Amino acid sequence: MSIRIQKTFEALFALEEIRGLFRESLPTGFDPAEEAAFRQKIAEVKAILADLEAGTGTPKVTKIAGSIDIRTREEQSINIQPIQAAGRLTTEARKALISYGDGYSTCDACRKPFRLDKISKPGIAEFHADLAKFVNMDHARVVPGARRGFQAVTGTLVNKGDSVIVSALAHYTEFLAVENAGGVVKEVPLNAKNIVTGEATALKIEEVKRETGKLPVLVMIDHFDYQFANEHEIKEIGKVAHQYDIPFLYNGAYTVGVMPVDGKAIGADFVVGSGHKSMASVAPSGVLAMTDEWLPKALRTTSMVGDLTKRKFGIKEVEMLGCTLMGGTLLSMMASFPTVKARTLKWDEEVKRSNYFIDRLLKITGSKVLSEYPRKHTLTKVDTTGSFDTVAQTHKRRGFYFSDELSSRGIVGEFAGATRTWKLNTYGLSGKKIRYLADAFTEVAEKHGLAVEK
């Protein structure tokens, strides 16, 4: 690790220790012992900052709480891990996490009607309204990840034995959400290009109708899937769903927060997004948005009454189990939101940089792209069986040689040891980093005797 990165973390930790002194003292200020501890900590911070500025010194803190490693991959490496790229926190989100990390920090000013989406300080109520506008829907709630959005919708619409239409590339959490509600998934087959089409969706609905005697109760399809990140015919699928009067859930886990999403233009009844995957937020976080039509059902409030106490909790939303995201998780999402909104308008630039890298990768003889090409997304599945894997066949480290080569160049996130089919994500990398990444792959190829087209 770079000594400057090391000293940056040490300085942050030392400042947190100073913060701890304030938390332990009386509101009236430090007593003599606390003042002495404060001054000692200030001296430590100054020494760390001197090392940081000069790039000198030795590591003094290598673990948190004695056993937890310091995570520095975003500071010292280019991270191409497929699910982490768009979840990197913004600087503002990291500040919010420091300030609001305490468990119930969002509840400091909670007043009647005692519900998360009604809190005005900090501006959580306004944030919910902004989220709905962001995806052009009528209502939005924050949820603990996209999976909890799926679960809320299936819990509302699906009964035992009901059929739910999903993609043949659907994420496992979609399956679990349907299973949890007692339903049965029915998968739409892919075409030759691994795309889910509107026509195939209509045929699957007809098949389910013939086999079960009734229509599916929900169509739930990813805009870009997690396996290939191919773009599916989402508007056509939404149109088909409505032709059969079936509600449509748009899975935007890989779109909401990185590219413009207009739920109503798509024809979605529900829009689900992932905060920690695509909205620069702490995990687990996500968003569930819906049209006016579904508010009374999907966000119904409890009507249950205690048999002894006669207690009622009528304002609490059943599918949300009352309140959802609290503390640093929610505030990180809120703090990143201005940046997230702005970056969706630059999606074309992100895709262009992704294609630059993929074009360079394809110049390495034997490399292939299994996803759509040219790319429409920054997440891509590649096949290097004919290139980097040929080296692995005789290398003493087998496929791990490739990880070693990338790591030595400050590149992490590829599946360790994988040299055949694997995924990467270039989202958020600057042009400078994209060129460095492409050059590094070329250098590794040439070092091991692989032909590279000039």
Side-chain angles (χ1 to χ4, degrees), residues 21-40:
L21 294 175
F22 286 107
R23 289 186 166 211
E24 294 165 7
S25 67
L26 293 174
T28 52
F30 291 146
D31 62 25
E34 291 165 340
E35 180 67 27
F38 171 75
R39 293 187 179 281
Q40 180 181 342

Side-chain angles (χ1 to χ4, degrees), residues 226-280:
Y226 79 103
Q227 296 190 49
F228 296 97
N230 288 346
E231 183 173 23
H232 304 288
E233 293 185 357
I234 211 72
K235 287 187 178 181
E236 292 82 355
I237 293 168
K239 184 177 180 180
V240 166
H242 284 285
Q243 286 173 345
Y244 286 92
D245 200 26
I246 303 171
F248 173 46
L249 185 155
Y250 168 94
N251 179 357
Y254 282 99
T255 56
V256 175
V258 297
M259 65 178 285
V261 172
D262 187 328
K264 290 183 178 177
I266 291 165
D269 295 279
F270 303 96
V271 170
V272 171
S274 172
H276 55 263
K277 192 169 288 180
S278 299
M279 299 180 72

Side-chain angles (χ1 to χ4, degrees), residues 4 10 14 59 77 86 125 130 132 141 185 195 204 214 241 251 267 276 331 343-344 353 366-367 407 428:
R4 279 185 161 164
E10 289 182 10
S77 307
D130 288 343
R141 295 291 184 272
V185 294
I195 303 295
K204 191 66 178 186
K214 58 181 183 179
N251 179 357
H276 55 263
L331 267 293
R343 77 186 191 181
T344 62
R353 286 193 287 271
S367 297
S407 179

Side-chain angles (χ1 to χ4, degrees), residues 297-317:
K297 296 180 181 179
L299 294 177
R300 64 192 171 99
T301 54
T302 178
S303 59
M304 190 171 286
V305 180
D307 66 329
L308 294 178
T309 63
K310 306 304 177 185
R311 290 183 299 161
K312 301 178 182 179
F313 305 97
I315 194 63
K316 302 297 186 183
E317 293 169 337

Side-chain angles (χ1 to χ4, degrees), residues 7 44-56:
K7 291 302 173 181
E44 290 176 11
V45 171
K46 288 180 178 179
I48 295 169
L49 291 177
D51 279 340
L52 173 60
E53 183 177 21
T56 57

Side-chain angles (χ1 to χ4, degrees), residues 55 94 168 275 315 320 325 336 345 354:
R94 294 196 300 275
I315 194 63
M320 297 295 103
L325 303 187
S336 282
L345 303 179
S354 176

Side-chain angles (χ1 to χ4, degrees), residues 4 58 69 84 143 146 165 195 212 275 306-307 333 350 391 406:
R4 279 185 161 164
T58 57
D69 292 330
Q84 293 179 348
V143 289
I165 298 293
I195 303 295
T212 67
D307 66 329
M333 201 175 183
E350 292 285 351
V391 178
L406 293 179

Side-chain angles (χ1 to χ4, degrees), residues 8 11 71 80 83 127 158 170 192 199 231 249 252 258 266 288 296-297 327 332 361 368 386 392 436:
T8 296
R71 184 178 186 271
I80 57 174
I83 63 172
F127 178 59
V158 181
E199 181 181 6
E231 183 173 23
L249 185 155
V258 297
I266 291 165
L288 167 64
K297 296 180 181 179
S332 72
L361 176 66
K368 299 177 183 178
Y436 179 91

